[in-house]
Amino acid sequence: MPEAQVPARGWRGLLGRERVAGVAVLALLLVLAAGGSNWQRRIQLAWFDSYQVAAPRQVGSMPAIVVAIDEKSLAELGQWPWPRTVMADLVKAINRAQPAAIGIDVLMPEPDRMSPAHLLGGLPVDADLARRIAALPDNDAVLAQALAGAPVVLGIAGMPEATGRTLRAVPMRVRGGDSGPGLQLGLRQYAGVMTSLDELDRAAPGHGLLSAPDTDSGVVRSVPLVASVDGTLAPALSMEMLRVATGMRGFVLGAQGAKLRSIGIADLTIPTAADGVAWVHFSPRDSRRLVSASDVLAGRVPAERLAHKLVLIGATGLGLLDNQATPIGVRMPGIEIHAQLLENLFDSTWLTRPEWAAQAEFAALLLLGMLLIVLVPALTPRLALVAGGACIAALLAGGFGAYLWARLLLDAATPAMGLLLLFGALLASSLSEATRRRRALELEVQAQREHAARVDGELQAAQRIQTAILPRADALAGEARIELAASMTPAREVGGDLYDFYMLDADRLLFLIGDVSGKGLGASMFMAVSKALCKSVGLRGAARDDPAGTRMTQANREVSRENPESMFVTVFAGILDLASGEVAYCNAGHDNPYVLRPGSEQLRRLADGDGPPLCVIDDFAYIGASHTLAAGEMLCLITDGVTEAQTAAGELYGGTRLQKVLEQCAQAGQGCEQVLAAVQADVAAFTGPVEPADDLTLLVLRWRGPGAAR
């Protein structure tokens, strides 16, 4: 195989298909998360809103009071716009309560049409009346005088195009960074500014921006505390009110390089984003923040309600509404948003999104994603679901906890959605892999079944062949002097036991029984070879007086010649002379046969003429023995599968139990078939329904006598 293919195979072996797919999906999610797309921004903002919906800010101190131009005021004082003299009276009434500062969220860029000089407007009136009306004070001048005598901050509006108006700059000192144009480039940019009349503008001690930042989905979430207006730094209305209230000359901007980090006034420092924006921590609407302008003018508002407060004048009447959507799901007038921002600044309860937040969210997605990639393929579907849910829940809980305890805005939604997609991909990949493996297993099982069927067919054929090479008792049906029954029951499909019998001549019967070491197909093949070679030796034309030991020696030499697996076989072989009843035999490591006398319980065993099993000692000189049967006596030859048969508990059948069965058969005078059947039945009754541990073979023969007839 080419060397370049080795690493890929190694990774697949190390990770598995599911984990490789998971790594690919996670990499794609990380690329998308790092890109900062619009959909990600929308998800982030919706998640930040959910924090405030679930746990809005609790109102602490209330430093700001809104003097509302509300429905009640419009009903009592007339429709908007009011004459500037009414605004002057309102400013004076508030100022008599000694507020800390007064912020006016009303733009007055044109002269008052209700001023005496403009009131007549070319109407035909008496000249004396016209002179007296013209001699009255101008409304704008009256308001300018009121503004000059109070700590007033007039609102100004940033405009996207140049307006030709001049912004009165407030001193701003930069610490720790670039104070040049680079700093301003990161701020909110306005090409021009809309102010009130120059007369009013010059009279007011302060000027602050009313402009909110561009909103996403129409929701006001943050307000710029400082912005750039045609190259001039301008503070927000709230910040300018604090400056006027504290009597400070200017602001201190904290920077890092060309990035804004904070804005400070007196001993208060407010962290900002690089664009100068602060996130507002909203509370539900509270009627305690608002008083009606008509009540202030009528003296129905106690002075202590306004004393030392940051007083905001703005419209809330239905016909004048500048209602804005907020993260808590409640629309509120812009002037009240300014009041909430002042509460944030006064109580230090503003929200922050630190610069490291994006890196932390990226790292959370990476680490928890890798954890899921490791865990999900290794777990059951139920445990994998628990692991995936735990990772996502930990992420969401961490983001909500950071909001509750540190007022940090961390985006847990985007990484959580990424983890959910990754978990789905891992689960789908795991299910796909499981399906693939199941199909492969089905194919493998099918192949194994087909193979097993072929093997079973071959084994059945081998069993038929093995059974066919064993002689049948009816082969001696014409010989009245002998009765014989034999059976071989293999432990598996084929066995390693063997038996054989055949006539050497008219008066001699050769019979043998053997047991090959091992079981199964290998033993059966060696059994067939051993039987064939033993029969070849028996039929090779040996002299009638060749001793049984000589024949066994020749058989050992033949069987040992081709035996690469070093197997061995135990054999008992005998030659029965049907004329005399003499049995010449030799035992090559086999169990000694039993001699049964009809009507007698006494059993004998042929214990002479023994030697080692065939193929154990090459060229071993076997010595045979002989025994003469009485007419009617019976020989019972067995393999160790009889005596070593076991129950499920491992108990052995044993020779003692076999002898009792044989004694009962002998006393009852049973024939060969009956003896064989009795032993088989007793063994089966002893072992019960268990798989036999070894082949079970019996050969039973009876010599009836030299002149017996059927």
Side-chain angles (χ1 to χ4, degrees):
M1 181 180 62
E3 186 177 353
Q5 296 181 7
V6 174
R9 177 173 293 182
W11 277 112
R12 286 196 295 271
L14 177 63
L15 297 178
R17 294 176 183 266
E18 306 97 320
R19 292 191 174 95
V20 170
V23 169
V25 172
L26 179 59
L28 177 61
L29 291 172
L30 291 173
V31 170
L32 293 176
S37 59
N38 289 333
W39 66 265
Q40 182 182 356
R41 175 68 175 170
R42 288 194 291 269
I43 293 172
Q44 283 181 348
L45 294 176
W47 180 249
F48 296 159
D49 292 349
S50 70
Y51 288 154
Q52 301 205 56
V53 170
R57 177 176 60 88
Q58 298 301 310
V59 177
S61 61
M62 198 170 282
I65 294 293
V66 175
V67 176
I69 303 172
D70 54 6
E71 290 292 315
K72 179 180 179 182
S73 301
L74 295 175
E76 292 185 9
L77 301 174
Q79 68 180 7
W80 186 261
W82 294 334
R84 302 280 164 82
T85 53
V86 176
M87 289 294 294
D89 292 340
L90 183 59
V91 171
K92 291 175 182 178
I94 296 171
N95 193 43
R96 283 194 293 271
Q98 298 183 347
I102 302 172
I104 300 179
D105 186 8
V106 178
L107 286 173
M108 296 171 283
E110 297 177 351
D112 187 1
R113 291 178 298 175
M114 304 299 292
S115 292
H118 303 284
L119 187 60
L120 296 179
L123 294 175
V125 295
D126 181 77
D128 183 57
L129 176 60
R131 284 194 301 271
R132 282 185 291 168
I133 292 175
L136 293 174
D138 185 78
N139 289 1
D140 292 320
V142 172
L143 178 56
Q145 184 180 5
L147 297 179
V152 172
V153 176
L154 273 182
I156 59 176
M159 304 298 289
E161 65 280 338
T163 60
R165 295 180 180 266
T166 302
L167 175 67
R168 287 172 172 79
V170 177
M172 294 193 184
R173 183 160 50 93
V174 178
R175 284 183 179 175
D178 181 10
S179 60
L183 180 66
Q184 293 196 34
L185 289 176
L187 302 177
R188 299 287 174 141
Q189 301 288 321
Y190 299 101
V193 63
M194 178 64 71
T195 65
S196 296
L197 287 173
D198 287 342
E199 182 180 5
L200 302 178
D201 203 44
R202 288 193 302 269
H207 307 84
L209 278 171
L210 300 175
S211 305
D214 298 333
T215 58
D216 294 272
S217 304
V219 179
V220 176
R221 300 178 177 89
S222 57
V223 174
L225 300 185
V226 61
S228 175
V229 179
D230 192 21
T232 301
L233 295 177
L237 178 68
S238 54
M239 294 302 300
E240 184 69 351
M241 289 179 69
L242 290 177
R243 185 189 70 81
V244 171
T246 57
M248 301 299 293
R249 183 172 178 271
F251 297 93
V252 176
L253 302 181
Q256 182 179 1
K259 291 184 178 181
L260 185 66
R261 288 288 178 262
S262 64
I263 180 171
I265 182 70
D267 59 351
L268 177 64
T269 300
I270 303 100
T272 69
D275 58 358
V277 167
W279 294 80
V280 183
H281 195 179
F282 284 90
S283 71
R285 298 196 66 181
D286 193 325
S287 60
R288 294 176 299 169
R289 292 193 185 101
L290 286 82
V291 295
S292 176
S294 61
D295 288 340
V296 174
L297 286 169
R300 294 190 291 264
V301 177
E304 56 268 21
R305 285 288 306 274
L306 305 177
H308 311 296
K309 296 288 186 178
L310 299 168
V311 180
L312 291 156
I313 301 174
T316 64
L318 292 177
L320 309 173
L321 272 185
D322 178 26
N323 273 4
Q324 301 290 338
T326 63
I328 60 175
V330 177
R331 299 184 71 88
M332 61 181 64
I335 192 65
E336 190 172 351
I337 295 177
H338 286 293
Q340 295 232 22
L341 178 58
L342 285 169
E343 291 175 6
N344 284 189
L345 300 180
F346 193 85
D347 294 336
S348 298
T349 55
W350 58 78
L351 300 174
T352 57
R353 177 161 172 78
E355 188 176 0
W356 49 262
Q359 288 79 10
E361 294 152 7
F362 186 91
L365 176 58
L366 174 61
L367 295 178
L368 292 177
M370 292 302 298
L371 182 62
L372 286 181
I373 289 172
V374 172
L375 292 180
V376 171
L379 299 176
T380 62
R382 180 174 297 179
L383 291 179
L385 186 62
V386 171
C391 288
I392 294 174
L395 192 62
L396 299 179
F400 197 76
Y403 164 77
L404 285 179
W405 295 308
R407 297 185 301 278
L408 296 178
L409 293 176
L410 298 181
D411 177 19
T414 305
M417 290 184 64
L419 290 181
L420 187 61
L421 292 173
L422 175 61
F423 177 76
L426 286 171
L427 198 59
S429 180
S430 296
L431 292 176
S432 175
E433 180 65 12
T435 301
R436 187 190 67 81
R437 291 177 180 175
R438 178 178 58 80
R439 290 175 179 172
L441 183 60
E442 289 175 352
L443 293 175
E444 179 65 21
V445 170
Q446 181 64 27
Q448 290 181 357
R449 286 175 178 172
E450 293 175 358
H451 177 71
R454 288 195 297 271
V455 172
D456 184 63
E458 293 172 357
L459 289 175
Q460 289 179 2
Q463 185 181 48
R464 291 193 299 270
I465 293 172
Q466 185 179 37
T467 303
I469 66 174
L470 295 175
R472 298 170 58 87
D474 55 12
L476 302 176
E479 180 55 67
R481 293 172 292 180
I482 187 74
E483 177 188 357
L484 188 145
S487 172
M488 192 275 287
T489 304
R492 299 178 182 174
E493 289 80 359
V494 290
D497 284 3
L498 62 99
Y499 68 84
D500 202 357
F501 54 86
Y502 48 87
M503 298 296 296
L504 294 177
D505 53 37
D507 292 323
R508 289 187 302 162
L509 172 70
L510 187 147
F511 60 91
L512 62 87
I513 191 171
D515 185 0
V516 175
S517 60
K519 293 175 285 297
L521 189 60
S524 71
M525 294 178 66
F526 194 68
M527 165 265 191
V529 172
S530 300
K531 177 182 177 299
L533 292 175
C534 288
K535 188 169 186 176
S536 174
V537 171
L539 295 174
R540 200 170 291 165
R544 184 180 182 88
D545 56 354
D546 279 352
T550 301
R551 296 174 184 268
M552 191 66 76
T553 300
Q554 294 175 352
N556 181 46
R557 187 177 299 116
E558 294 288 341
V559 176
S560 300
R561 183 174 298 151
E562 298 293 340
N563 184 19
E565 298 298 324
S566 300
M567 302 180 75
F568 63 88
V569 56
T570 65
V571 176
F572 181 92
I575 299 175
L576 172 61
D577 190 330
L578 301 182
S580 63
E582 180 183 9
V583 179
Y585 62 88
C586 184
N587 191 342
H590 201 77
D591 286 350
N592 292 323
Y594 293 89
V595 180
L596 287 69
R597 179 181 292 275
S600 173
E601 294 183 357
Q602 298 297 321
L603 298 179
R604 289 179 297 166
R605 305 193 71 174
L606 301 183
D608 298 326
D610 54 355
L614 303 184
C615 303
V616 172
I617 301 176
D618 294 341
D619 295 325
F620 182 82
Y622 289 89
I623 299 175
S626 65
H627 173 79
T628 302
L629 295 175
E633 281 190 333
M634 188 180 298
L635 284 177
C636 181
L637 291 76
I638 65 168
T639 59
D640 58 8
V642 176
T643 56
E644 293 180 3
Q646 298 182 15
T647 64
E651 182 181 359
L652 292 175
Y653 181 79
T656 302
R657 181 162 180 151
L658 173 63
Q659 290 180 18
K660 290 181 180 179
V661 174
L662 294 178
E663 288 171 355
Q664 293 172 0
C665 291
Q667 187 176 15
Q670 294 180 351
C672 294
E673 290 284 354
Q674 294 171 314
V675 172
L676 186 147
V679 173
Q680 289 177 331
D682 194 62
V683 171
F686 174 79
T687 59
V690 297
E691 185 178 350
D694 198 0
D695 305 330
L696 191 150
T697 303
L698 294 95
L699 189 150
V700 184
L701 65 86
R702 180 202 301 271
W703 183 61
R704 291 195 176 100
R710 290 192 180 277

